[in-house]
Amino acid sequence: AQTVTQSQPEMSVQEAETVTLSCTYDTSESDYYLFWYKQPPSRQMILVIRQEAYKQQNATENRFSVNFQKAAKSFSLKISDSQLGDAAMYFCAYRQTRDDKIIFGKGTRLHILP
Amino acid sequence: DTGVSQDPRHKITKRGQNVTFRCDPISEHNRLYWYRQTLGQGPEFLTYFQNEAQLEKSRLLSDRFSAERPKGSFSTLEIQRTEQGDSAMYLCASRPTGLPEAFFGQGTRLTVV
């Protein structure tokens, strides 16, 4: 069975600094998607960034970028120039290409220190 | 607002009562998902639909839980004979063909007292 592991329950970063959130996953599939979702307090979950497993190039969305290491089954999220609005729970998630189910990790709570 | 809509946002019920939640997906999203999220945890998959067909159910979905999507548009999730362990946030998400990611609603927070 596929699993997603986030080993950092909480992290803190100073405003304007850079932080990296870790995620590892377990799968025997070669074709899949990986996601980072953000869930602010009492607000809905939104997609931050997506990576297709067949793409070697790491995805980037403005201040958010990933380090995708397929052989190591690692998918970390880097947030540059952290802002107060980045404070949230961040969930790493996985979906097989030929399946519809999205599997989530337990999340990392990110605090931004002013 | 054209996002995923869930109703109600909050529900408090007494143990043993039945509750029903509704989810309206984004228009033309043919896939619809239900997840359960307890405090401090990630969303756990419950079930999903492709159009009106329920294609997969998690083992978490006991016999007291039932979900429907009768016309392939909105969906309902019913919990019968609620238990305190059912207290959680119930999230709905939808996804169109051609996009890998799902779009989430704000959730229904259920408290069983």
Side-chain angles (χ1 to χ4, degrees):
Chain A
Q2 292 85 15
T3 57
V4 177
T5 302
Q6 294 179 250
S7 58
Q8 306 151 316
E10 287 195 62
M11 291 193 72
S12 297
V13 63
Q14 210 75 35
E15 196 176 0
E17 296 295 307
T18 295
V19 64
T20 298
L21 309 184
S22 301
C23 172
T24 58
Y25 58 95
D26 186 24
T27 184
S28 57
E29 300 290 325
S30 60
D31 207 8
Y32 51 86
Y33 302 99
L34 294 164
F35 311 95
W36 279 99
Y37 278 88
K38 170 185 178 182
Q39 189 176 40
S42 303
R43 295 181 62 185
Q44 70 196 93
M45 192 141 50
I46 58 173
L47 180 73
V48 174
I49 200 164
R50 173 186 82 216
Q51 175 79 43
E52 291 87 345
Y54 68 86
K55 289 186 177 179
Q56 292 188 331
Q57 188 171 6
N58 289 323
T60 298
E61 288 288 341
N62 301 314
R63 298 183 295 107
F64 299 86
S65 61
V66 298
N67 183 3
F68 172 47
Q69 301 290 326
K70 192 171 184 179
K73 296 179 184 174
S74 169
F75 183 61
S76 60
L77 174 70
K78 185 171 84 170
I79 307 174
S80 303
D81 185 25
S82 298
Q83 300 175 1
L84 294 177
D86 295 334
M89 282 289 286
Y90 286 81
F91 294 100
C92 180
Y94 162 97
R95 182 171 81 81
Q96 283 183 46
T97 303
R98 59 182 178 86
D99 192 4
D100 277 300
K101 186 169 61 184
I102 303 174
I103 300 168
F104 287 83
K106 291 190 175 183
T108 297
R109 182 172 298 282
L110 180 64
H111 303 276
I112 310 296
L113 306 173
Chain B
D1 185 10
T2 56
V4 178
S5 176
Q6 292 189 246
D7 183 68
R9 294 286 309 280
H10 303 273
K11 178 71 176 179
I12 300 174
T13 191
K14 291 184 178 179
R15 191 174 49 187
Q17 297 293 304
N18 299 344
V19 294
T20 300
F21 309 141
R22 177 178 170 126
C23 172
D24 286 90
I26 296 171
S27 179
E28 298 183 357
H29 281 201
N30 59 347
R31 288 161 175 83
L32 185 147
Y33 305 80
W34 285 100
Y35 284 83
R36 181 172 68 189
Q37 185 179 23
T38 52
L39 202 61
Q41 300 294 313
E44 297 173 297
F45 171 79
L46 292 178
T47 188
Y48 90 94
F49 294 83
Q50 183 170 330
N51 299 312
E52 64 275 12
Q54 188 174 17
L55 296 187
E56 188 172 347
K57 293 197 297 185
S58 163
R59 284 171 291 180
L60 292 174
L61 214 64
S62 76
D63 291 346
R64 297 184 297 104
F65 287 71
S66 62
E68 293 184 341
R69 193 182 183 196
K71 296 182 181 178
S73 57
F74 74 91
S75 175
T76 58
L77 177 68
E78 181 183 17
I79 309 174
Q80 296 183 326
R81 305 181 302 282
T82 52
E83 302 172 356
Q84 285 191 320
D86 297 331
S87 296
M89 177 75 84
Y90 290 84
L91 298 172
C92 178
S94 68
R95 182 173 77 85
T97 301
L99 267 188
E101 66 267 20
F103 296 78
F104 282 80
Q106 291 188 289
T108 294
R109 181 168 295 285
L110 173 67
T111 302
V112 182
V113 297

